[in-house]
Amino acid sequence: MMKSLAVKAITVLLVATFGIGTACAAESLQDVMKRRSLSQQDLLSAAKTYTPSGKRDEFVAFSSGGQSGQVIIYGIPSMRILKYLAVFTPEPWQGYGYDEESKEVLKGGWIDGKEITWGDTHHPAISETNGQYDGQFLFINDKANPRIAVIDLRDYETKQIVVNPVFKSEHGGAFVTPNTDYVIEASQYAAPLEPKKFYPLEEFNDKYRGGITYWKFDRGAGRIDTSKSFSIELPPYSQDLSDAGKGPSDGWSFTNSFCSERYVGGIERGRPPFEAGCSAKDTDYMHVINWEKAAKLVAQGKAKKINGHDVLMIDTAVKEGILFLIPEPKSPHGVDVTPDGKFIIVSGKLDTHVSVFSFEKIMAAIKAGKFESKDPYGIPVISMQDTLHTQVALGLGPLHTQYDSKKCIAYTSLYVDSQVAKWDYCEGKVLDKISVHYNIGHLMTMEGDSVNPKGRYLVALNKLAIDRFNPVGPLHPQNHQLIDISNDKMQLLYDMPLPLGEPHYAVAIEASKLKPAVRYKVGTNSRTDKPHPGAARAGEERIERNGNKVTVYGTLIRSHITPEIIEVDVGDEVTINLTNLERAEDETHGFTVSTYNVHASAEPGKTVSVKFKADKEGVYPYYCTEFCSALHLEMQGYLLVKPKGWKPAPSKEIAKATYTEEDYRATLKKIADTQAVIDVVVGYITSTNYKDFPDVVNMVDDATDQLNRIAGAKTKYEAAAAKKDWEQANLWAEQVFQYQVKAADIGLRAKTYLEQNGAKKVK
Ligand code: CUK
Ligand code: CUA
């Protein structure tokens, strides 16, 4: 041992002094450029994106996860993925769908009593205060099964899933009003509003409907209040994207549509297909809605209850003057309100133009009662000419628009051209274009749909990657391309493969606005934010039986699961509650029981539970699934499922190892040595102003927890030694050593933290 260490030390010295042992001297920047065929431009891009070890990103992006039903979180400009956040789909790492608390959240998303385990997420939205991102909540929609999820950014957990009570599909959500009073969700494919109601397609125009739901968000509760939410009935035009007005247009919302032809396909019945009939007319309709007044009408009882939900019918909406239509170039996609709230920009997917509508002109026409016609449902139609500010030819397939921090500057994705166009919507002129790879859908600038966009970067969310990455089979990753927009010319910086579903939209917020917690108050159910009835503190662990129901109140702390043995009878219903007693940052424990398909992730302070029927007799190890300490592998236990009528044999004891007095003395020596180390660390910490560092205070509390357990174990080893039971004496002494090791580990981390964060000597 000594010898090998010495050899190692000498080798290190030789390498450091003479470069012996390395192939050649360190490469210069020029060498690396040559070897990797990098241009000056590449180096500039690298310098703009490379985030050195330990440094953090300026912005955090929340991307839809498409068919994965999740949210993908990454940093900008490094484009490093930080988390896949489970929303509509079970996700085992987070225990989502494998512990009881998250199952309750997922259950909120069941439809007609049916479990739904996937979602098609499209549009994430960050909560806003006065039109600015506030970093408190995130919302995202499920297009396939019309639902909205609420994620709390204090702990990045999905708290609620609400099912739309009147739609069968949706798309134009989630978009928030400037103070997050409402979360907007528009339907997509028209269907009868009543649940489980059948009407033949021949009755499409009469019985099928679209609509928009305004979900009332209760910020204090951090949940959508379904009882105060309402919808507006709309014609069976396929409503598409939405956006809320802001500034002068606050109180209004805009939703466009396609297939206002109300065409019904059916090749099998000899009819031309949907795509032909749905793009026959030159225009579709933008819906202009006064949601603020709509909410008042609902409060006055003017809505009709459908499936227990308030719906303002078209007739009422028309009579009360809250619903208007404006023709827009056919098959439009994005509808995006400018940061100042004065214009609404609509992209006509099949047109080369983007159309800039003026809110002021819209209001003037409404005020003057100047309408060009009514649609078949009696909704007043305002003329396009009366409301257009300008139209700009950008290129083929314009889809979505985002804004810059610079006035009047917008960026629009061009799907067919595979380009991003930078243009001026006040003057109506194109400023720059850049090619992307390939077929861009949405694009995103930093806080680019708020009243206060931050500029700097743009991400192109491309639909195809084709040849950009190492091939991984016929299914390719998505490609999010980072573009620098801080100068007049856009510059492509980075390709990021995104290997999870097809993201549609993403939103990015200044990282400094996000302030997630590092721990829960001990015993919290993270999905309800309330104290968990199954919580236990140290010393309160127990197993209770009530008939065939066994409930475990357990705890987790490095490196120990209490209890270590759970005995049940075959057929028992077992609930295991676990509270993580840790306070230190990132000290998560996981929990699973062999072959019972349960898993939980218990972050510091959290209480989680897993539940299953012990329907097969046998021996099932359980263990901690997160590598949490040097003795993580020993963080284990046994679930014993006993056969019916099984009785233990009278004299059997658990197999013993044999220890001698010598072993016991050696362990005592080890304890004394370790204590000396701990004393030095404690001496250092208490000599500083450590109380000024809340993170260190928490670490010290955790370490003290471990040290406080020593007294009990010490009494046991001394009693055993007095009886010359060296087996017991040695094992309890070893346990004391384990408490010391964990305390020392935390203590050393606290010491490093203090050294790195400029703690001052006070003694
Ligand atoms: S959508 Cu997919 S590219 Cu759902 Cu916003 Cu436009
Ligand atoms: Cu706790 Cu591993």
Side-chain angles (χ1 to χ4, degrees):
M1 177 69 180
M2 277 321 288
K3 198 178 150 207
S4 70
L5 266 182
V7 170
K8 219 173 174 181
I10 290 166
T11 314
V12 169
L13 199 71
L14 284 175
V15 169
T17 319
F18 306 107
I20 294 171
T22 53
C24 54
E27 284 178 296
S28 73
L29 191 56
Q30 270 68 29
D31 294 336
V32 177
M33 284 175 74
K34 203 166 152 211
R35 180 164 60 80
R36 300 198 66 213
S37 314
L38 299 176
S39 66
Q40 287 286 345
Q41 188 67 8
D42 292 333
L43 286 200
L44 192 60
S45 300
K48 286 180 178 183
T49 55
Y50 177 66
T51 305
S53 176
K55 293 252 164 70
R56 298 187 191 177
D57 282 297
E58 296 161 65
F59 295 93
V60 174
F62 297 86
S63 171
S64 92
Q67 307 92 325
S68 75
Q70 301 183 0
V71 165
I72 304 163
I73 306 171
Y74 59 81
I76 293 175
S78 77
M79 308 302 270
R80 296 178 298 188
I81 293 176
L82 301 171
K83 192 178 221 172
Y84 294 134
L85 199 160
V87 184
F88 293 110
T89 309
E91 197 291 307
W93 170 52
Q94 292 152 71
Y96 195 69
Y98 300 90
D99 69 38
E100 290 304 303
E101 293 69 29
S102 59
K103 278 186 193 167
E104 273 303 304
V105 175
L106 282 164
K107 202 168 176 186
W110 291 20
I111 299 180
D112 302 328
K114 237 189 171 47
E115 181 178 10
I116 297 182
T117 55
W118 89 289
D120 185 9
T121 58
H122 279 237
H123 305 107
I126 293 176
S127 58
E128 296 179 6
T129 302
N130 298 322
Q132 312 228 32
Y133 286 2
D134 58 34
Q136 292 181 5
F137 295 93
L138 183 79
F139 308 91
I140 194 156
N141 69 322
D142 172 10
K143 171 171 168 164
N145 321 288
R147 299 182 293 176
I148 296 279
V150 180
I151 296 148
D152 193 329
L153 293 177
R154 278 175 303 187
D155 60 357
Y156 287 54
E157 284 204 352
T158 303
K159 304 286 178 172
Q160 185 187 26
I161 297 174
V162 291
V163 176
N164 195 291
V166 288
F167 302 158
K168 299 295 170 291
S169 72
E170 60 96 275
H171 187 226
F175 299 96
V176 297
T177 56
N179 277 307
T180 324
D181 298 310
Y182 290 94
V183 182
I184 301 173
E185 180 186 34
S187 69
Q188 179 118 82
Y189 306 114
L193 295 182
E194 304 92 332
K196 294 189 257 181
K197 186 78 188 171
F198 173 79
Y199 293 110
L201 284 163
E202 284 71 17
E203 295 180 51
F204 188 86
N205 292 354
D206 293 336
K207 302 291 191 194
Y208 288 51
R209 287 293 179 267
I212 300 182
T213 300
Y214 296 86
W215 291 105
K216 177 76 189 148
F217 185 60
D218 179 341
R219 199 188 279 263
R223 302 290 186 279
I224 282 171
D225 183 346
T226 53
S227 73
K228 295 203 178 98
S229 305
F230 66 94
S231 297
I232 296 178
E233 179 201 27
L234 292 178
Y237 312 144
S238 295
Q239 280 77 30
D240 197 35
L241 288 170
S242 310
D243 203 0
K246 48 188 99 165
S249 53
D250 187 11
W252 293 74
S253 70
F254 311 92
T255 300
N256 52 24
S257 63
F258 59 89
C259 205
S260 59
E261 292 85 353
R262 296 177 293 164
Y263 181 76
V264 177
I267 293 207
E268 23 317 269
R269 297 182 188 176
R271 292 169 61 81
F274 273 106
E275 56 181 326
C278 279
S279 55
K281 281 197 324 175
D282 280 342
T283 55
D284 284 297
Y285 288 125
M286 170 159 70
H287 302 66
V288 178
I289 294 172
N290 185 338
W291 61 259
E292 206 161 38
K293 189 162 173 201
K296 287 188 188 125
L297 297 174
V298 172
Q300 289 161 17
K302 301 220 163 128
K304 181 178 156 186
K305 287 269 184 213
I306 301 180
N307 197 15
H309 171 76
D310 283 320
V311 182
L312 268 187
M313 305 309 279
I314 294 176
D315 291 350
T316 316
V318 170
K319 202 172 90 209
E320 300 284 348
I322 61 155
L323 172 61
F324 306 91
L325 300 171
I326 305 176
E328 51 185 1
K330 72 173 170 188
S331 302
H333 197 34
V335 50
D336 299 284
V337 177
T338 55
D340 60 11
K342 290 183 180 165
F343 301 105
I344 302 112
I345 295 178
V346 172
S347 298
K349 217 159 54 190
L350 298 181
D351 188 26
T352 56
H353 292 90
V354 284
S355 305
V356 183
F357 291 90
S358 152
F359 183 71
E360 204 182 320
K361 289 184 178 180
I362 295 171
M363 285 302 108
I366 291 173
K367 212 164 168 204
K370 190 162 181 261
F371 306 114
E372 65 173 25
S373 62
K374 283 189 170 178
D375 88 331
Y377 300 87
I379 306 171
V381 179
I382 314 171
S383 98
M384 182 166 17
Q385 284 325 311
D386 285 350
T387 50
L388 267 184
H389 166 67
T390 183
Q391 278 189 315
V392 188
L394 291 184
L396 297 179
L399 293 187
H400 298 286
T401 298
Q402 288 267 291
Y403 301 99
D404 202 334
S405 53
K406 295 167 204 139
K407 219 171 166 287
C408 298
I409 304 291
Y411 301 86
T412 297
S413 51
L414 303 174
Y415 176 82
V416 179
D417 277 342
S418 294
Q419 286 187 319
V420 171
K422 174 180 180 176
W423 58 289
D424 181 320
Y425 59 83
C426 301
E427 302 287 321
K429 60 175 188 235
V430 179
L431 302 171
D432 187 27
K433 283 192 187 184
I434 190 170
S435 291
V436 293
H437 312 276
Y438 304 91
N439 295 91
I440 178 173
H442 274 273
L443 40 52
M444 162 188 68
T445 55
M446 306 302 97
E447 305 195 8
D449 61 12
S450 73
V451 299
N452 192 10
K454 298 291 185 285
R456 308 282 302 282
Y457 305 103
L458 180 150
V459 176
L461 284 73
N462 303 329
K463 294 299 179 196
L464 304 179
I466 308 182
D467 56 357
R468 304 299 288 184
F469 305 113
N470 301 61
V472 287
L475 179 62
H476 293 238
Q478 305 290 311
N479 184 8
H480 284 197
Q481 286 187 304
L482 182 69
I483 294 168
D484 181 356
I485 56 167
S486 43
N487 304 302
D488 289 344
K489 296 286 293 170
M490 293 180 275
Q491 185 201 345
L492 181 61
L493 298 178
Y494 192 72
D495 286 11
M496 174 172 73
L498 213 56
L500 193 77
E502 183 209 317
H504 289 260
Y505 187 37
V507 285
I509 179 173
E510 275 181 327
S512 58
K513 288 187 183 171
L514 297 166
K515 302 201 167 51
V518 297
R519 68 188 68 80
Y520 296 96
K521 197 164 164 226
V522 176
T524 302
N525 174 344
S526 65
R527 302 291 170 179
T528 61
D529 309 326
K530 299 205 170 90
H532 195 299
R537 288 179 181 262
E540 295 175 354
E541 298 93 344
R542 63 202 183 275
I543 300 175
E544 289 177 359
R545 173 179 283 280
N546 185 357
N548 69 339
K549 288 191 169 58
V550 177
T551 309
V552 178
Y553 299 84
T555 59
L556 304 166
I557 192 162
R558 275 163 287 178
S559 323
H560 195 74
I561 302 170
T562 309
E564 293 195 323
I565 299 166
I566 301 171
E567 275 184 81
V568 302
D569 298 319
V570 69
D572 282 347
E573 203 179 273
V574 183
T575 304
I576 303 175
N577 298 290
L578 294 162
T579 301
N580 182 349
L581 299 176
E582 311 275 359
R583 297 181 193 84
E585 184 161 9
D586 200 18
E587 210 40 77
T588 295
H589 300 287
F591 180 81
T592 188
V593 182
S594 164
T595 72
Y596 275 100
N597 198 39
V598 291
H599 184 240
S601 172
E603 293 81 51
K606 193 196 248 188
T607 298
V608 278
S609 62
V610 297
K611 192 173 170 183
F612 54 90
K613 192 165 186 214
D615 51 6
K616 37 180 195 168
E617 58 197 50
V619 174
Y620 304 95
Y622 53 82
Y623 70 96
C624 169
T625 61
E626 282 264 347
F627 205 111
C628 51
S629 75
L631 284 144
H632 150 78
L633 293 178
E634 290 77 356
M635 199 164 169
Q636 58 170 353
Y638 280 104
L639 169 73
L640 304 172
V641 184
K642 297 179 290 185
K644 281 240 151 35
W646 184 85
K647 291 264 177 330
S651 67
K652 276 264 160 48
E653 272 187 50
I654 293 176
K656 273 193 178 178
T658 44
Y659 293 102
T660 62
E661 181 173 3
E662 211 186 348
D663 295 329
Y664 172 62
R665 299 283 162 214
T667 307
L668 288 189
K669 167 91 172 46
K670 191 163 68 175
I671 290 173
D673 292 348
T674 311
Q675 194 56 47
V677 175
I678 291 174
D679 292 344
V680 170
V681 175
V682 170
Y684 170 80
I685 293 173
T686 52
S687 74
T688 68
N689 60 334
Y690 78 97
K691 288 194 175 142
D692 296 341
F693 300 87
D695 286 332
V696 173
V697 171
N698 280 298
M699 287 188 237
V700 169
D701 284 348
D702 271 6
T704 310
D705 270 357
Q706 296 285 345
L707 294 175
N708 284 344
R709 290 159 182 243
I710 288 178
K714 189 174 179 202
T715 312
K716 287 183 180 144
Y717 75 65
E718 284 173 347
K723 285 191 275 174
K724 299 199 186 313
D725 180 348
W726 305 120
E727 165 92 15
Q728 285 289 307
N730 190 56
L731 288 174
W732 283 113
E734 277 294 342
Q735 185 55 42
V736 167
F737 175 63
Q738 293 310 331
Y739 293 138
Q740 286 181 315
V741 167
K742 279 168 263 175
D745 175 38
I746 308 166
L748 285 168
R749 253 200 283 164
K751 181 168 176 269
T752 311
Y753 185 106
L754 291 170
E755 286 163 355
Q756 289 175 352
N757 289 279
K760 287 194 289 283
K761 283 269 174 197
V762 292
K763 289 191 211 162

